Amino acid sequence: MSKTPTRRTLKNGTISSTKSSDITPIKRKRVVKPKNTSNNKGQSEIEDIEDLLKFKEEEIAEIRVSLLEWYDKNKRDLPWRRLKDDDDGKEKKAYGVWVSEVMLQQTRVATVIDYFNRWVLKWPSLYHLSLASLEEVNEMWAGLGYYRRARYLLEGAKKIIEDGGNFPRTVSSLKKVPGIGEYTAGAIASIAFNEVVPVVDGNVVRVLARLKAISANPKDSVTVKKFWSLAGQLVDPHRPGEFNQALMELGATICTPTSPSCSECPISAQCHALALSRQGGIVTDYPLKVVKAKQRNEFSAVCVLEVTESHNLLENNQKSRHCLLVKRPDGGLLAGLWEFPSVLLGQESETAIRRKAIDKYLKTSFNLDAKKTCKVLLREEVGEYVHIFSHIRLKMYVEYLVIHLNGGLKLLQSVSDEGNMIWKCADSKELSSMGLTSGVRKVYTMVQQFKENSLTAATQDTKQTKSRKRR
């Protein structure tokens, strides 16, 4: 006796008749989604990714066409996108792409525009940049943060000029330049030289994670490689640079972290995360939110030290005062940048302990001793300021110290010759034009505000005293 055929409706709407004896159960792997932690590694993630390694050919074609059409109509007008191929064989465009991409790391587009325009006005080509000093570059970069990026730009420019001056055109050759990694190399090679290579930044990761509903940890090295593979499948062979920019633009303006505009997305038809959201899922669940490493707390005593030639603070002219600045070491955090004398503390400390630490530092480094080599005219606590780095929460205790040197600035100059510390004294005009970090600038602003308040209070006291005498 034959068995009754089973009728099934397929996804495309057709009906298939199959005998029940022909149906073989398919064993499916149970994929466990990783927990929301920063250490999500292991087999579950790999299985989650392995089933999503490829886009279908029709998907690729649709995504390329839709995304490029959207980009051509909606791309933002940005100065580095206006650069055209020139007689130097796209050198100018490559230089502009490089500078803009380095500036855009960890920084918003709106902030970068003015910095980029000032940069290319001062150094319009790779050759001009190679002639700059680190001091000049830091000054131009001040406020963008992550100053190592600026140093790498300068070192990279010098290296390219030393090697003949021809801008590298491929990812493999670009990665040999100091400071240029996989992402920046891909951006320059594809946008300036039309090499068919992908780029993957945070925006691209977000778009790809939602397109394929990838729930694996986006920071895991295995997962990162898969994102690069997916991006490589999509990049348009005829317009690689525009496609890469379109993908990043989509993530920056439409497929945003917390409020994606799915109704305006040109590739929403191919988005698995959006499809799952119609079944109760949430688009913003992709990519996985990775718990950031906890910032460590550090404490520092900062001394804004002014040196004056006067013996009397009240008689002193503000213009004759000079602030002592110290240059940080060439390696490590904020390498090679200027700051006020400071001492790291092991923990939160009382005023007496902080002053003792500063006194020891000034005596050891500059032979400044209130009992022998200088006279303290003013010493006041100004306040506290917390500066946030990516991995450090630095609490700075700021004090303002005015001294008169028994022998003038020459005494200070003779001390530095004995050691390796680089320092200088700068007046208020020089300070205002220096490439100081935002943290150092904030400290200086605090002191300036303190001085203004003190001057106002002193003026009011003088007026009140005169008024009482008249009575």
Side-chain angles (χ1 to χ4, degrees):
M1 182 178 177
S2 62
K3 295 184 179 180
T4 305
T6 301
R7 296 174 63 82
R8 296 182 298 157
T9 302
L10 303 180
K11 288 184 178 180
N12 61 8
T14 60
I15 298 175
S16 172
S17 297
T18 309
K19 293 181 180 180
S20 57
S21 59
D22 296 333
I23 300 175
T24 303
I26 300 175
K27 293 183 180 180
R28 299 183 180 275
K29 288 183 178 179
R30 179 175 179 272
V31 179
V32 180
K33 290 185 178 182
K35 295 180 180 179
N36 189 16
T37 67
S38 59
N39 297 317
N40 294 321
K41 297 180 180 180
Q43 188 64 32
S44 61
E45 287 189 357
I46 298 173
E47 290 175 350
D48 190 30
I49 280 284
E50 288 298 332
D51 295 333
L52 302 169
L53 283 181
K54 295 182 179 179
F55 284 100
K56 296 178 181 178
E57 290 185 9
E58 57 269 26
E59 280 184 307
I60 294 174
E62 290 170 358
I63 289 173
R64 286 174 178 171
V65 172
S66 300
L67 191 55
L68 284 170
E69 285 182 354
W70 170 83
Y71 179 71
D72 289 338
K73 294 178 182 178
N74 298 280
K75 63 182 177 183
R76 290 172 290 183
D77 181 23
L78 302 173
W80 46 89
R81 288 178 178 167
R82 300 183 203 133
L83 299 174
K84 304 297 182 182
D85 299 341
D86 55 14
D87 296 334
D88 296 329
K90 303 182 180 180
E91 299 278 316
K92 185 176 181 180
K93 187 173 184 179
Y95 173 66
V97 171
W98 183 26
V99 173
S100 67
E101 288 299 338
V102 174
M103 285 185 172
L104 286 166
Q105 294 169 21
Q106 313 292 335
T107 312
R108 294 179 179 277
V109 170
T111 302
V112 166
I113 291 175
D114 287 341
Y115 278 92
F116 178 84
N117 288 333
R118 289 195 297 269
W119 183 284
V120 295
L121 184 64
K122 187 174 181 66
W123 301 301
S125 71
L126 196 68
Y127 173 74
H128 290 90
L129 176 58
S130 70
L131 300 177
S133 66
L134 181 58
E135 191 83 9
E136 291 175 309
V137 168
N138 284 336
E139 182 178 321
M140 183 66 70
W141 197 269
L144 277 177
Y146 297 90
Y147 288 81
R148 184 181 301 175
R149 296 178 295 164
R151 189 174 76 250
Y152 278 145
L153 269 173
L154 178 59
E155 291 176 0
K158 291 180 181 295
K159 179 70 165 57
I160 294 174
I161 295 300
E162 288 172 2
D163 290 345
N166 295 320
F167 211 110
R169 292 170 171 256
T170 64
V171 167
S172 58
S173 58
L174 282 161
K175 286 167 65 177
K176 296 177 182 178
V177 177
I180 295 184
E182 190 78 28
Y183 165 78
T184 306
I188 298 171
S190 63
I191 297 172
F193 302 116
N194 293 315
E195 185 178 8
V196 185
V197 290
V199 296
V200 175
D201 67 352
N203 289 317
V204 173
V205 165
R206 186 164 56 256
V207 172
L208 293 176
R210 290 172 181 173
L211 278 175
K212 303 297 281 182
I214 296 172
S215 59
N217 180 0
K219 300 294 184 181
D220 178 68
S221 59
V222 174
T223 310
V224 169
K225 290 180 180 179
K226 304 308 178 186
F227 280 126
W228 277 92
S229 175
L230 288 169
Q233 295 170 41
L234 291 178
V235 62
D236 188 278
H238 304 291
R239 300 177 62 190
E242 285 85 355
F243 183 85
N244 286 335
Q245 290 180 89
L247 204 57
M248 292 186 284
E249 187 91 337
L250 185 71
T253 61
I254 299 295
C255 194
T256 58
T258 57
S259 304
S261 303
C262 297
S263 60
E264 301 176 23
C265 178
I267 55 175
S268 59
Q270 289 79 37
C271 184
H272 290 193
L274 181 60
L276 290 173
S277 72
R278 298 182 180 122
Q279 302 170 21
I282 303 175
V283 171
T284 52
D285 282 348
Y286 306 93
L288 180 72
K289 310 301 187 295
V290 179
V291 178
K292 294 182 179 180
K294 188 177 180 180
Q295 292 174 327
R296 71 173 186 266
N297 291 313
E298 291 190 356
F299 307 92
S300 175
V302 180
C303 179
V304 178
L305 174 64
E306 283 187 348
V307 181
T308 176
E309 297 177 1
S310 174
H311 291 271
N312 191 319
L313 186 65
L314 296 178
E315 297 176 356
N316 182 51
N317 186 339
Q318 289 283 343
K319 294 182 180 179
S320 68
R321 298 185 186 181
H322 292 79
C323 279
L324 177 63
L325 293 170
V326 179
K327 197 171 189 179
R328 293 182 64 88
D330 290 333
L333 186 66
L334 304 177
L337 297 172
W338 293 99
E339 65 180 6
F340 297 111
S342 61
V343 178
L344 279 176
L345 308 168
Q347 58 187 6
E348 292 193 75
S349 306
E350 299 295 330
T351 301
I353 296 175
R354 299 199 300 268
R355 286 192 172 183
K356 186 176 181 180
I358 284 291
D359 289 344
K360 181 179 179 181
Y361 170 79
L362 293 176
K363 184 176 182 179
T364 302
S365 303
F366 302 98
N367 195 30
L368 293 177
D369 187 338
K371 296 179 180 180
K372 298 179 180 179
T373 60
C374 67
K375 176 184 177 182
V376 175
L377 302 180
L378 177 68
R379 190 169 197 174
E380 293 287 348
E381 294 290 317
V382 173
E384 301 171 0
Y385 170 59
V386 176
H387 191 69
I388 304 297
F389 298 93
S390 58
H391 58 296
I392 299 172
R393 183 180 185 274
L394 178 62
K395 185 174 184 179
M396 294 182 281
Y397 300 94
V398 183
E399 74 166 355
Y400 175 45
L401 176 61
V402 183
I403 65 170
H404 167 75
L405 279 175
N406 301 328
L409 289 177
K410 291 182 179 179
L411 176 65
L412 200 58
Q413 291 169 357
S414 66
V415 176
S416 70
D417 294 337
E418 300 175 6
N420 297 320
M421 180 179 294
I422 300 175
W423 63 274
K424 69 178 179 178
C425 284
D427 59 22
S428 57
K429 184 178 180 180
E430 185 179 0
L431 270 169
S432 63
S433 63
M434 288 181 63
L436 302 176
T437 67
S438 57
V440 174
R441 185 70 64 188
K442 173 64 178 178
V443 167
Y444 185 61
T445 301
M446 289 172 63
V447 170
Q448 293 298 98
Q449 187 63 52
F450 171 81
K451 290 162 68 174
E452 289 177 10
N453 294 340
S454 299
L455 180 62
T456 301
T459 302
Q460 290 176 347
D461 289 344
T462 301
K463 289 181 179 180
Q464 290 175 359
T465 301
K466 289 181 179 181
S467 177
R468 283 194 294 269
K469 286 182 179 180
R470 292 194 187 104
R471 294 175 185 174

